[in-house]
Amino acid sequence: MSVPAQDVPATWRELLGREHLGAAVVPAGGVLAGAINIYLAAGLLPTAVAELGGASFYAWNMTVYLVAMVIATMLTARSLSAWGTVGSYLAGFATFTVGSLACAVSPAMAVLLVSRGMQGLGAGLLSGLGFAVVRSALPARLWTRGTALMSAMYGVGNFAGPALGGLFAQFGAWRPAFAAMAVIGAGCGVIVPRALRGGGEAPRGGGAARVRVPVGSSMLVTAVAGAVSVAAVVTGTLAKTAVLAAALLAAVGFVVHERRSEHRVLPAETYRRGSSLKWVYLTIGVLTFGVAVESFLPLFAQRLAGLPPLVAGFFAAAVSFGWSATQIGSSSVAGRRAVRRLRVAGPLLFAAGLLVQGLVQRTDPPGWLVLVWVPVLFAAGAGIGLAYPHLSVAVLTSTPDPAEGGRAAAAIATVTSLSVAFGTAVAGILVNLGGASMLDSARYVLFGFAALCATGALTAHRAARRERDDGLSPRGRRQAA
């Protein structure tokens, strides 16, 4: 209600012009580095295990990385308050670079896991900073373009991570892969002071005293992230369900604690009665929850259609391509009514794509049917691209207070990381339900996620209703004024 950014036209040329280029490229690079590394190790670990041993730690690689990433996203507001924008980015890229180098020289699997945790801390801080700096460093008219760019980096990373991991693994070069990420992190860090010079520097000094680490909330979110990550690696449907139930209890505890606490992860507006912000966060969560399907699409393509791993990976990447490409056009849409329609239509298109993909699954399908998978998966990803940038802008415009606005923006990365972890765990349970039948497993995952993702249309509609009601209320009119 405070800043109708979506009503102001803007262009990609303006965002990527000389005046705003640094404030766009540095956050995008940070988000991309973190997104790539979520899945980079998946392609490298088999080769690393063959050299280092420690196969029992294999499944914990993603767990350690995601938990560390979630923890770091929650420290974004404190980091900006204490170190400012440039200092925070230098800390994020430095941590990511050191963690990547440590991965490259790890002498044992246990050391590699610790190093991945350090990578995750750096990547989480960079992801949280991305959306926060878009809000502070860019004019409101460019927020939709800026958040679309940040969101597109998740889509690109979901494709580039497995592809790069598989490419380096093909030559047995898992150490150079991590070394290359260290070079990228160091290179980005070097350009930070110049690129962000004079661009939306966050207040320091006195601000640090006001922004305190929400210890209780952070511990509960960490418990949620840890539990859902453990659920992804434990065996047995019953064990997975029990751990997920514990995660849900911790999530309920988080909400109860946040409502009563003065020091929160999410902004106070989230818990105001009648606020649309909680419904916006839920919609973002549902969309990114569904992205976890990508992790299992290569498995289905290999087992059902007999595709080689590299080709199967490209089929799965159709979701990310749809996500990233659609945002180019979606971010051009202006007008509150049109934007609200896109936010509702996005989850519906995503769910419809997954539903159709489930319907066309076959064992040993003909070639023409396999080719149909690509546009169907592209359309599913397009559903994310339609809605995600506008949902992100709804978060950025939720409050006129700079401190609360920064906290709201950083929480986008927290919600996204948690939802991906949650989705991966739930997908693992649904795969197990199929038993020995890969066709049944594929249908359980695709139909189950289609149903769950469709609920995003309900939460998006609820957010739109709350926004209209708030705009008609005395409070909403005061904010708009």
Side-chain angles (χ1 to χ4, degrees):
M1 292 299 301
S2 56
V3 185
Q6 64 270 42
D7 292 340
V8 184
T11 64
W12 285 105
R13 178 176 295 180
E14 184 178 2
L15 175 66
L16 300 177
R18 179 175 298 180
E19 182 180 0
H20 303 298
L21 182 62
V25 170
V26 170
V31 171
L32 179 60
I36 287 176
N37 274 274
I38 292 178
Y39 297 110
L40 175 72
L44 300 174
L45 271 183
T47 307
V49 168
E51 178 181 333
L52 301 177
S56 59
F57 292 117
Y58 184 99
W60 289 92
N61 188 277
M62 182 76 79
T63 299
V64 170
Y65 185 85
L66 284 176
V67 170
M69 196 172 179
V70 169
I71 291 171
T73 61
M74 295 185 293
L75 302 177
T76 302
R78 171 66 180 181
S79 172
L80 284 170
S81 178
W83 303 327
T85 304
V86 172
S88 296
Y89 264 110
L90 289 175
F93 280 119
T95 305
F96 178 80
T97 299
V98 172
S100 298
L101 283 174
C103 288
V105 299
S106 293
M109 183 57 68
V111 178
L112 180 62
L113 283 180
V114 173
S115 302
R116 282 284 284 171
M118 183 173 291
Q119 258 195 329
L121 289 174
L125 181 56
L126 293 172
S127 297
L129 287 169
F131 291 97
V133 172
V134 162
R135 190 184 193 280
S136 65
L138 296 175
R141 68 181 181 278
L142 290 176
W143 286 355
T144 303
R145 299 287 189 182
T147 56
L149 184 62
M150 298 302 104
S151 173
M153 293 304 100
Y154 282 113
V156 173
N158 286 349
F159 163 71
L164 288 174
L167 179 63
F168 277 96
Q170 187 75 28
F171 299 98
W174 68 272
R175 293 185 187 276
F178 286 116
M181 296 310 303
V183 171
I184 292 172
C188 290
V190 167
I191 70 171
V192 164
R194 181 178 179 84
L196 295 180
R197 183 173 54 194
E201 182 68 17
R204 288 173 287 181
R210 290 184 285 105
V211 180
R212 298 174 60 180
V213 176
V215 178
S217 295
S218 298
M219 291 178 64
L220 286 166
V221 170
T222 302
V224 175
V228 296
S229 298
V230 169
V233 298
V234 297
T235 57
T237 301
L238 184 60
K240 287 178 179 288
T241 303
V243 177
L244 275 181
L248 288 173
L249 286 176
V252 171
F254 166 78
V255 173
V256 172
H257 177 79
E258 285 262 297
R259 292 175 67 91
R260 299 175 179 176
S261 176
E262 295 182 2
H263 308 294
R264 306 177 180 89
V265 171
L266 301 177
E269 176 69 14
T270 310
Y271 304 101
R272 180 180 65 83
R273 186 172 183 179
S275 169
S276 64
L277 187 55
K278 57 178 165 288
W279 299 107
V280 173
Y281 277 133
L282 282 171
T283 309
I284 291 174
V286 167
L287 284 173
T288 50
F289 173 93
V291 173
V293 168
E294 275 194 320
S295 300
F296 294 88
L297 290 176
L299 174 67
F300 302 151
Q302 291 178 53
R303 298 285 183 86
L304 296 177
L307 298 178
L310 184 60
V311 176
F314 277 106
F315 270 74
V319 175
S320 290
F321 278 130
W323 176 1
S324 300
T326 305
Q327 289 176 128
I328 304 299
S330 171
S331 62
S332 302
V333 176
R336 295 183 181 181
R337 181 174 297 180
V339 164
R340 287 169 180 162
R341 286 174 177 170
L342 287 181
R343 283 159 43 183
V344 173
L348 288 176
L349 179 58
F350 190 18
L354 297 179
L355 176 62
V356 173
Q357 183 67 11
L359 291 172
V360 297
Q361 293 299 289
R362 299 286 189 278
T363 300
D364 298 323
W368 67 266
L369 186 59
V370 174
L371 291 177
V372 169
W373 293 357
V374 176
V376 170
L377 292 173
F378 184 94
I384 306 175
L386 287 179
Y388 196 99
H390 300 293
L391 291 166
S392 300
V393 170
V395 173
L396 301 188
T397 58
S398 62
T399 173
D401 181 78
E404 284 289 280
R407 181 179 289 110
I412 296 173
T414 304
V415 171
T416 297
S417 300
L418 264 178
S419 298
V420 170
F422 223 117
T424 302
V426 171
I429 290 177
L430 294 176
V431 166
N432 286 346
L433 289 179
S437 172
M438 186 54 61
L439 179 60
D440 288 345
S441 293
R443 287 173 173 169
Y444 276 126
V445 170
L446 293 166
F447 291 154
F449 270 67
L452 291 168
C453 291
T455 63
L458 300 178
T459 57
H461 178 69
R462 190 66 178 269
R465 285 191 59 185
R466 293 295 189 186
E467 288 170 356
R468 288 194 295 266
D469 293 344
D470 200 33
L472 295 173
S473 70
R475 180 184 184 277
R477 288 194 293 269
R478 287 196 300 270
Q479 278 193 327

